Amino acid sequence: MPPPLIWHHPEPPGRKNALTRAAVVRTAIEVADAGGVAALTMRAVADALGVSTPMSLYRYVLNKDGLVDLMLDEVSAEVAVPSAPSGDWRGDLRGLATSLWAMIGRHRWYAELVDSRPPFGPRTMRRAAFLMTVLDGAGLAPAVAYASLLDNYVTGTAMSVSRELEMLGRFGIGSTADLPSYAAEMADDSLEPWLHDMPDFTADSRFELGLDCLLDGFARRRR
């Protein structure tokens, strides 16, 4: 039998002075925002809520997988999804991708956890439906394959940036802007022109460049 999904389990009836599912999810997001995936434990969420035992949370979220499902879908509400395609397929895809990128920048744990559970949350499904509609209207088929390419690019790039930030912190390097001075000590003069450009080539500008390249590829493959 497949593992249970939180979407099959409605929130239990309220009790006086009881927790709510929304409070549990909101607190879990705060814990993950502050400490990353490693900090996200049922004990940490219970402590943040002032609950004596993590078992108290299972009534609301079923299990940790259920909590992750709810967290992923909750922050997905921050991704701007238009009510209908604009007719400009490239603009619609860019808007969706950049909004997702911005959301992950606020919740870096999202990129690490998004593939850990089936994407069945209502907000997640709404974004997916809009994405498929735009792709299908643009003559990009199968739409599900192109949707996967776009989402994987956004989340994969976000994961790369997160790991880069972790690496910089581990080695005591303040930011990518400081990398040229470290690299210059090891490199010969032939790399100097490229090292000079590094501080201005931010994570956002790298993302935008890659997104342009991906959408250029989509444009060439339209029916």
Side-chain angles (χ1 to χ4, degrees), residues 66-146:
L67 178 59
V68 169
D69 281 339
L70 292 165
M71 292 169 63
L72 292 170
D73 199 60
E74 181 68 22
V75 296
S76 290
E78 298 177 22
V79 179
V81 180
S83 57
S86 68
D88 174 10
W89 69 269
R90 185 168 182 139
D92 285 341
L93 295 183
R94 172 174 286 281
L96 207 62
T98 54
S99 186
L100 177 60
W101 171 257
M103 181 274 282
I104 297 174
R106 295 186 293 272
H107 309 290
R108 295 199 176 277
W109 49 267
Y110 179 94
E112 188 170 343
L113 292 178
V114 69
D115 294 326
S116 67
R117 297 289 290 163
F120 292 152
R123 297 178 179 93
T124 304
M125 296 294 281
R126 178 171 175 262
R127 184 179 70 84
F130 177 81
L131 178 55
M132 299 290 190
T133 300
V134 172
L135 290 166
D136 189 61
L140 290 162
V144 66
Y146 286 92

Side-chain angles (χ1 to χ4, degrees), residues 11-12 15 17-32 40-42 44-51 56-61 67 70-71 74 123:
E11 183 167 8
R15 297 175 179 173
N17 300 323
L19 293 173
T20 64
R21 178 174 286 177
V24 174
V25 174
R26 182 172 59 250
T27 301
I29 290 170
E30 292 171 355
V31 169
L40 182 63
T41 65
M42 299 301 280
V45 177
D47 288 346
L49 285 163
V51 176
S56 304
L57 308 183
Y58 288 87
R59 180 168 181 264
Y60 301 92
V61 299
L67 178 59
L70 292 165
M71 292 169 63
E74 181 68 22
R123 297 178 179 93

